[in-house]
Amino acid sequence: TAALGEETLASASSSSDSDTGGASPPPRKKHRASAAEGAGEPGASAVVTGLSGVVLGLATQPPHSQATSAIHFNRSVVNNLSSNMQANGAGQESSELSCLNSTQNGESSSAGGSHSNGLLSSTNNGNSVGTSNGASTGPSSGTSTVSTASGSEVGSLKKKKRLSQAEEDVIRLIGQHLHGLGLNQTVDLLMQESGCRLEHPSATKFRNHVMEGEWDKAENDLNELRALMHSPNAIVVSSRMKFLLLQQKYLEYLEDGKVLEALQVLRGELTPLKYNTDRIHVLSGYLMCSHAEDLRAKAEWEGKGTASRCRLLDKLQTYLPPSVMLPPRRLQTLLRQAVELQRDRCLYHNTKLDSSLDSVSLLLDHVCSRSQFPCYTQQILTEHCNEVWFCKFSNDGTKLATGSKDTTVIIWQVDPESHQLKLLRTLEGHAYGVSYLAWSPDDTYLIACGPDDCSELWLWNVQTGELRTKMSQSHEDSLTSVAWNPDGKRFVTGGQRGQFYQCDLDGNLLDSWEGVRVQCLWCLSDGRTVLASDTHQRIRGYNFEDLTDRNIVQEDHPIMSFTVSKNGRLALLNVATQGVHLWDLQDRVLVRKYQGVTQGFYTIHSCFGGHNEDFIASGSEDHKVYIWHRRSELPIAELTGHTRTVNCVSWNPAIPGLMASASDDGTVRVWGPAPFLDSQEVDGLNENCSNMDS
């Protein structure tokens, strides 16, 4: 019992010293010193007296009651200390009380405040696992005696959580990113605390040797790395990496003017690899460069230094497994992919794609509001006095041409700032009305065609407003469609009465194809192939040079009109009684059928639009304009305002937020983003759009 009292007193004293940062002297000296100073500090004297009384009380008790008293020792000490502090009116807590109270409450205490790895002392099931002068104490509770550290108690410390593979990958990605920012000490601490490894030690050594230009050592490192590749092609991959190293070594020798050393690398090291001999021939030509600037220009190389060596490392890293060395800027790559995926899934994203992460916030998901989309009427053009059958923006987006049953074509100028349209000039004299328009590739000329019973077409100079050509091969002809050759010097035209011509700008007939009843035409970018939909519910490709043709698209119903994407891969068809169909011309398969539109036997013209042509718009016989995202069959917007059939829709190719529609109601509507609204109106608009989207 006496031993227990001494041990307990020593523990309490050491705790006090631990809190004050001092060393703990033997307990008897501590007791005498406190008693001697008691006259000046009554609070301290009371504390020591209380502790001594408890210890002596334990010593004088019978044996059968000593265990019971020892069990309540902690509580007695705390109560004694508290009462003595209150009785003496102390305004601050003693270090002994803080230590014991923290132990009583299951909190940890330590001599240094934290371990060397920066982590605070851990707790085990709410019990204290503290340190005193570097020695750990075991877990304590209200029903256990104070005990010292032992092997079993150290083993009871809570084990560090084992990281999953995904967690290790994330830590390595963060470490690589921080390393790229130059926060190397932070990276070291992160790897130390997590127990992870940013890259294999051999890879680190290899990286350092490359960046320092120690090429012989870097070559030796390749042998170690080859053993880590675990690939049947490890030898080949190693040869490729060695080639890249030697190429850098060769170029740096040349830049330094060490021609003989460079020649030795070329002959004695690069050539024996027998890899990429064509590149070796190119490298040998650099020996003739007269100065360093000439070498860098011909080799398209940054020159000796950090920039070129970093680029070399990026190439070398692609050959190594990620467990050995992470691919360059892997975290940025993953974040960029996530942003691009969110943009792809955004139904209303209609702005230029920017691959830089600086243009977006990584803290929020990407969302585009419908209010930024061309769903709102900006302008109503009422200058036509009859049905408007067609509209088309110029290729540069600066003008809009509209054709009407009133026999006129109106050219509108688009204001680049306000996007408002202003009448530029009116082209007259189309006796049968204007049902189709086609801009030349350079927007200098505009061709106008009439309805089925029209045998003429008009070729206008838009800049001067003069009629260059009025073409008519025969009064029996029906020239209802036209398409420009990409060279801008020829065009093809035809109609449902079996005419199919290729002509020059003066209307001279260059070639003809007999027996083809043309409904709509399009010239592909190869300059040879002309696509034509005919009365057999199909689209065929015609080559006027070798006079061959082939079937590309076959539908079950009449194709009223079609248009082709800029890359020539996709075709958008308006099919009678069916609606709008998307075809892949290369694979010759139907990709998607878009829902919602009302399509009978009227000729309605749809279009691709928006940035990257991600959207599709079409008129409808139910007086609406429908817009779809190219990947979604359901419309994302239904635009109302017209009072009769909408015959044609055109999306501005240069201004993604501008669109025009022509209708039998005699008007042309210009659609754009929502006008400026206050915050409440915007919130209400977005709420309505969300309800519609859901």
Side-chain angles (χ1 to χ4, degrees):
T1 303
L4 175 61
E6 290 180 358
E7 178 182 337
T8 305
L9 184 59
S11 177
S13 300
S14 65
S15 297
S16 175
D17 288 336
S18 173
D19 287 347
T20 57
S24 177
R28 295 184 183 275
K29 293 182 180 180
K30 172 73 176 180
H31 175 71
R32 286 195 296 269
S34 299
E37 296 169 1
E41 298 181 11
S45 176
V47 169
V48 175
T49 303
L51 288 173
S52 302
V54 172
V55 173
L56 293 175
L58 285 173
T60 59
Q61 285 182 355
H64 67 273
S65 62
Q66 290 177 0
T68 304
S69 299
I71 291 175
H72 300 287
F73 176 73
N74 282 341
R75 188 173 300 171
S76 301
V77 172
V78 172
N79 291 338
N80 266 303
L81 291 175
S82 299
S83 61
N84 281 313
M85 290 290 291
Q86 293 173 358
N88 288 281
Q92 60 182 6
E93 296 182 355
S94 68
S95 59
E96 289 88 355
L97 181 60
S98 298
C99 178
L100 291 172
N101 278 335
S102 66
T103 306
Q104 184 77 10
N105 294 326
E107 297 175 356
S108 61
S109 62
S110 61
S114 63
H115 294 298
S116 61
N117 61 5
L119 295 176
L120 293 174
S121 304
S122 59
T123 60
N124 187 11
N125 297 326
N127 299 323
S128 171
V129 183
T131 58
S132 179
N133 294 328
S136 298
T137 63
S140 65
S141 66
T143 59
S144 62
T145 61
V146 178
S147 60
T148 58
S150 65
S152 60
E153 289 168 336
V154 172
S156 68
L157 290 173
K158 186 176 181 180
K159 294 182 180 179
K160 182 183 291 185
K161 176 186 175 184
R162 181 177 178 84
L163 298 176
S164 66
Q165 184 61 51
E167 290 170 333
E168 289 186 9
D169 290 346
V170 170
I171 290 174
R172 292 183 65 203
L173 291 173
I174 295 173
Q176 184 194 43
H177 183 69
L178 295 176
H179 179 76
L181 297 177
L183 305 177
N184 297 327
Q185 292 183 358
T186 306
V187 175
D188 294 341
L189 182 59
L190 176 63
M191 295 300 122
Q192 177 184 347
E193 291 194 14
S194 64
C196 296
R197 188 170 62 186
L198 184 59
E199 58 188 14
H200 195 278
S202 298
T204 302
K205 184 169 59 173
F206 178 65
R207 177 194 300 277
N208 294 336
H209 289 158
V210 169
M211 293 305 298
E212 293 168 5
E214 298 180 357
W215 306 116
D216 294 337
K217 294 181 179 179
E219 286 183 49
N220 294 332
D221 296 337
L222 280 180
N223 296 326
E224 298 181 23
L225 293 175
R226 184 169 60 188
L228 301 174
M229 292 181 186
H230 305 296
S231 170
N233 299 324
I235 297 178
V236 176
V237 171
S238 178
S239 298
R240 294 175 181 175
M241 296 177 69
K242 186 174 182 180
F243 183 89
L244 292 174
L245 280 177
L246 294 175
Q247 177 180 254
Q248 178 79 10
K249 179 181 179 181
Y250 169 76
L251 292 174
E252 291 192 7
Y253 275 149
L254 283 182
E255 187 181 59
D256 291 339
K258 300 177 180 179
V259 180
L260 293 179
E261 289 85 344
L263 187 60
Q264 175 60 33
V265 172
L266 185 67
R267 290 180 176 177
E269 299 183 61
L270 278 168
T271 303
L273 289 177
K274 297 180 180 179
Y275 173 78
N276 201 350
T277 54
D278 292 338
R279 178 61 179 168
I280 291 178
H281 292 157
V282 174
L283 292 174
S284 64
Y286 299 154
L287 288 167
M288 306 303 295
C289 293
S290 56
H291 48 78
E293 290 76 10
D294 187 26
L295 171 66
R296 290 193 289 266
K298 289 184 178 179
E300 297 180 355
W301 180 58
E302 296 90 340
K304 179 181 179 180
T306 303
S308 63
R309 291 173 182 175
C310 285
R311 185 181 294 273
L312 171 63
L313 264 178
D314 288 348
K315 294 179 181 178
L316 294 171
Q317 281 178 291
T318 60
Y319 295 104
L320 295 173
S323 59
V324 176
M325 182 181 285
L326 287 172
R329 293 172 292 279
R330 182 59 182 164
L331 181 59
Q332 292 95 317
T333 300
L334 292 174
L335 292 174
R336 190 177 300 111
Q337 291 173 353
V339 170
E340 291 174 356
L341 179 61
Q342 289 188 15
R343 284 173 174 170
D344 289 342
R345 292 181 175 177
C346 178
L347 292 178
Y348 298 107
H349 186 75
N350 191 29
T351 56
K352 185 177 181 180
L353 296 177
D354 187 356
S355 59
S356 172
L357 294 177
D358 296 334
S359 62
V360 299
S361 171
L362 299 178
L363 306 181
L364 296 171
D365 287 344
H366 175 85
V367 177
C368 289
S369 170
R370 186 175 184 266
S371 62
Q372 303 167 344
F373 206 67
C375 296
Y376 307 89
T377 301
Q378 283 193 169
Q379 198 174 356
I380 302 177
L381 310 178
T382 59
E383 277 72 5
H384 285 293
C385 56
N386 209 326
E387 298 173 356
V388 186
W389 289 339
F390 200 83
C391 63
K392 185 71 173 178
F393 280 105
S394 59
N395 297 296
D396 61 8
T398 61
K399 299 178 182 65
L400 174 71
T402 58
S404 171
K405 187 178 180 180
D406 66 6
T407 72
T408 66
V409 173
I410 298 180
I411 308 297
W412 309 84
Q413 185 72 43
V414 179
D415 187 282
E417 300 295 332
S418 66
H419 299 168
Q420 292 289 302
L421 274 65
K422 182 175 66 175
L423 193 150
L424 182 62
R425 60 173 47 92
T426 301
L427 310 176
E428 300 177 341
H430 311 87
Y432 297 90
V434 179
S435 62
Y436 196 85
L437 295 165
W439 291 89
S440 64
D442 62 359
D443 296 324
T444 301
Y445 298 106
L446 180 72
I447 296 179
C449 298
D452 291 343
D453 51 356
C454 179
S455 61
E456 301 173 330
L457 64 76
W458 293 259
L459 194 156
W460 295 91
N461 186 317
V462 180
Q463 307 298 331
T464 63
E466 297 177 352
L467 179 65
R468 170 160 179 168
T469 303
K470 182 179 179 181
M471 172 186 158
S472 178
Q473 294 294 325
S474 169
H475 292 293
E476 301 298 325
D477 287 351
S478 173
L479 304 181
T480 59
S481 184
V482 67
W484 284 90
N485 189 285
D487 63 12
K489 300 176 181 179
R490 297 169 291 165
F491 62 87
V492 292
T493 182
Q496 291 192 2
R497 297 180 183 176
Q499 297 78 34
F500 190 11
Y501 306 132
Q502 181 171 222
C503 309
D504 62 16
L505 296 181
D506 296 322
N508 300 316
L509 187 64
L510 301 178
D511 297 290
S512 65
W513 210 294
E514 299 296 332
V516 181
R517 299 180 181 272
V518 174
Q519 179 70 25
C520 191
L521 294 167
W522 193 274
C523 289
L524 294 183
S525 58
D526 61 8
R528 300 186 303 272
T529 306
V530 179
L531 302 182
S533 61
D534 56 31
T535 54
H536 296 285
Q537 306 167 1
R538 65 189 179 184
I539 295 178
R540 292 178 65 81
Y542 298 87
N543 190 316
F544 276 91
E545 293 184 1
D546 55 17
L547 299 179
T548 59
D549 61 330
R550 58 193 175 95
N551 203 44
I552 297 178
V553 170
Q554 182 67 58
E555 283 279 1
D556 297 328
H557 299 80
I559 300 172
M560 306 307 297
S561 68
F562 76 93
T563 186
V564 178
S565 61
K566 290 179 181 178
N567 60 12
R569 178 69 182 265
L570 301 174
L572 194 61
L573 284 60
N574 283 77
V575 184
T577 71
Q578 301 300 301
V580 181
H581 292 179
L582 182 68
W583 280 79
D584 187 314
L585 298 178
Q586 181 173 318
D587 296 338
R588 303 184 190 182
V589 294
L590 177 62
V591 177
R592 196 159 286 112
K593 295 181 179 180
Y594 297 102
Q595 303 177 20
V597 68
T598 302
Q599 170 79 62
F601 288 91
Y602 285 109
T603 300
I604 294 177
H605 301 272
S606 56
C607 68
F608 293 96
H611 267 300
N612 201 33
E613 294 189 324
D614 283 333
F615 302 98
I616 288 168
S618 177
S620 176
E621 294 182 18
D622 62 2
H623 316 162
K624 297 179 182 179
V625 174
Y626 288 84
I627 301 178
W628 300 267
H629 196 285
R630 200 169 66 190
R631 295 188 305 273
S632 175
E633 295 182 356
L634 297 177
I636 61 174
E638 300 176 12
L639 313 186
T640 59
H642 287 294
T643 58
R644 294 182 64 187
T645 297
V646 181
N647 299 307
C648 183
V649 181
S650 179
W651 209 305
N652 192 300
I655 307 173
L658 193 64
M659 187 174 61
S661 59
S663 171
D664 282 346
D665 63 11
T667 67
V668 175
R669 283 185 174 253
V670 180
W671 307 88
F676 176 77
L677 303 173
D678 61 36
S679 58
Q680 291 183 348
E681 290 177 304
V682 170
D683 292 340
L685 181 62
N686 290 338
E687 182 178 354
N688 293 335
C689 295
S690 299
N691 292 336
M692 175 183 175
D693 295 340
S694 61

